[in-house]
Amino acid sequence: MLKIANVSAFYGQHPALQDVSLQVGLGEVVVILGANGAGKSTLLRAISGICEGRVKGVMTLESEPLTALSSDQIVERGVALVPEGRGIFGDLTVKENLLLGAYSSRARRDENANLNRVFQLFPKLQERQGQIARTMSGGEQQMVAIGRAMMSAPKILMLDEPSLGLSPLLCKELFQNLSTVKELGIGILLVEQNAKQSLAIADRGYLLENTRITHENTAQQLARDPAVQKAYLGVGGHSIDGASKTNTAKNARISAVNKSWISIPEARPQPRRTADQHIGLDIEGLVREASAISTESIAVQSHTAVIQNEIDQAATPRLNTVLLEIELAAKNARTKSSMQRMTRKPNHIVSATKAETRISDDANPVIIEIYRRPRVQIFRRRDGDFERD
């Protein structure tokens, strides 16, 4: 039998457990119920010798002390833990994970017998013993974790939230397997949020609240306890009479509301509104507004036309002057080109003549200005070519 007496655990100055006492017999399932942060996982880790905090109190297995032992020595004595999150080796096969559970000298003697027992308990593991563990489903990985713990031939098997992340169907199968483990004479200390199914297979239970054990009873009595029903089983805790009174009052309120709706007079149909009433103006008013808008638009267009006419009139003299200059420049250019062809020099002095001509043209270039709205482009003619500035 596992006995825990006045066990406390501290993380620094923060208490995680305070004076917790419980016991688990061989072939017995004991469940610990409690909210998150109550200290359930810390209790299991303290019993296993892997609690990071400071632990004090008395823990014994079959009258042999466990408090001062290391975690491997506690496993050697017969206490195995299936931690929350399973903690299996994902890159190893199923069989390799199971054989690691038989590492202690106590379990090596009966390694084959323990392996056969695990395969009888979980036939699916025998079918997939060569499969890599991380490729299995969550329920199958949980089977591997429990099987690995059982390979150490434990007297007490502790499980921390074994149904976490499993589907309802797998949860049901898991708790059935735990019942089978119980029949093998192994004591089970179970921390579980699924209170309904854990109490269904448990013999006794404890309530752990705010680091302390607040209640202890058989599983059947805990399942009937109104406080447990309200906190963990989703039952409101009202009696049948109280529920009927509540329903009667609720029905009375609904009836009163219905009567208040019935007393409201029936809505009468509203008379149809005319177009004048909808838009707020009569037809004559609309015509007047449309006429005013049209007149204003015509006035704006007329004003724009006047401005454009003035611009064109102002630009006409300048445009005529530019056209005359263009004609004169073109005439001079043709005359100059004809004279150059008549007085063309021999080939050996062509380059010099062109250079002199370019110098002369640069000194007095012929500029032709072409004005295009809205910008001005200036063209200079040199040696028969036009360059644009």
Side-chain angles (χ1 to χ4, degrees), residues 292-302:
I293 293 173
S294 178
T295 303
E296 183 179 357
S297 177
I298 293 173
V300 171
Q301 292 178 358
S302 301

Side-chain angles (χ1 to χ4, degrees), residues 119-342:
F119 285 156
Q120 290 176 4
L121 183 62
F122 304 112
K124 189 174 293 186
L125 298 185
Q126 185 175 12
E127 298 172 2
R128 304 188 180 185
Q129 54 183 303
Q131 183 174 344
I132 300 298
R134 59 181 169 78
T135 63
M136 306 179 76
S137 66
E140 292 166 347
Q141 291 183 20
Q142 189 66 64
M143 294 178 191
V144 174
I146 296 174
R148 182 184 60 185
M150 291 189 62
M151 286 293 294
S152 65
K155 298 176 182 178
I156 300 295
L157 178 64
M158 300 188 300
L159 299 101
D160 190 1
E161 302 284 1
S163 68
L164 185 65
L166 302 185
S167 66
L169 183 61
L170 291 176
C171 284
K172 183 178 179 180
E173 182 180 355
L174 170 67
F175 286 107
Q176 289 175 350
N177 292 331
L178 293 181
S179 298
T180 305
V181 173
K182 169 189 171 181
E183 294 173 358
L184 297 176
I186 299 174
I188 297 176
L189 180 58
L190 177 63
V191 168
E192 181 57 55
Q193 291 281 2
N194 192 333
K196 185 176 181 179
Q197 292 193 12
S198 60
L199 288 174
I201 67 168
D203 298 293
R204 294 185 300 108
Y206 295 86
L207 295 185
L208 183 61
E209 298 179 350
N210 296 325
T211 72
R212 296 179 182 272
I213 296 291
T214 60
H215 195 49
E216 172 191 358
N217 213 327
T218 63
Q220 293 77 8
Q221 291 297 326
L222 286 176
R224 297 190 189 102
D225 191 318
V228 175
Q229 290 178 348
K230 184 177 181 180
Y232 304 107
L233 300 179
V235 179
H238 297 293
S239 64
I240 296 176
D241 295 337
S244 63
K245 291 179 181 178
T246 303
N247 291 334
T248 303
K250 184 177 180 181
N251 293 334
R253 290 195 299 270
I254 294 174
S255 178
V257 172
N258 291 336
K259 290 180 180 179
S260 66
W261 278 104
I262 293 172
S263 63
I264 297 175
E266 184 178 358
R268 297 179 179 178
Q270 297 293 328
R272 296 184 62 184
R273 302 179 66 187
T274 63
D276 295 347
Q277 291 173 338
H278 276 290
I279 62 178
L281 294 173
D282 56 6
I283 301 301
E284 294 181 357
L286 288 175
V287 172
R288 286 195 299 271
E289 284 196 7
S291 178
I293 293 173
S294 178
T295 303
E296 183 179 357
S297 177
I298 293 173
V300 171
Q301 292 178 358
S302 301
H303 182 66
T304 303
V306 170
I307 294 175
Q308 185 64 40
N309 187 30
E310 292 177 354
I311 293 173
D312 293 342
Q313 290 179 358
T316 299
R318 176 61 176 166
L319 182 60
N320 293 334
T321 303
V322 170
L323 291 175
L324 292 175
E325 292 177 354
I326 291 173
E327 293 179 359
L328 179 61
K331 182 177 180 181
N332 293 336
R334 288 193 296 271
T335 303
K336 185 176 182 180
S337 177
S338 299
M339 294 179 63
Q340 288 178 349
R341 284 196 300 270
M342 294 175 62

Side-chain angles (χ1 to χ4, degrees), residues 80-138:
L81 171 66
V82 179
E84 181 181 356
R86 307 177 187 105
I88 63 174
F89 297 94
D91 293 331
L92 300 181
T93 65
V94 171
K95 188 174 182 179
E96 289 170 342
N97 272 277
L98 295 176
L99 294 178
L100 284 174
Y103 178 77
S104 63
S105 58
R106 177 175 178 271
R108 289 179 190 174
R109 295 189 299 267
D110 300 322
E111 180 179 302
N112 292 331
N114 291 334
L115 184 61
N116 292 332
R117 185 172 60 175
V118 170
F119 285 156
Q120 290 176 4
L121 183 62
F122 304 112
K124 189 174 293 186
L125 298 185
Q126 185 175 12
E127 298 172 2
R128 304 188 180 185
Q129 54 183 303
Q131 183 174 344
I132 300 298
R134 59 181 169 78
T135 63
M136 306 179 76
S137 66

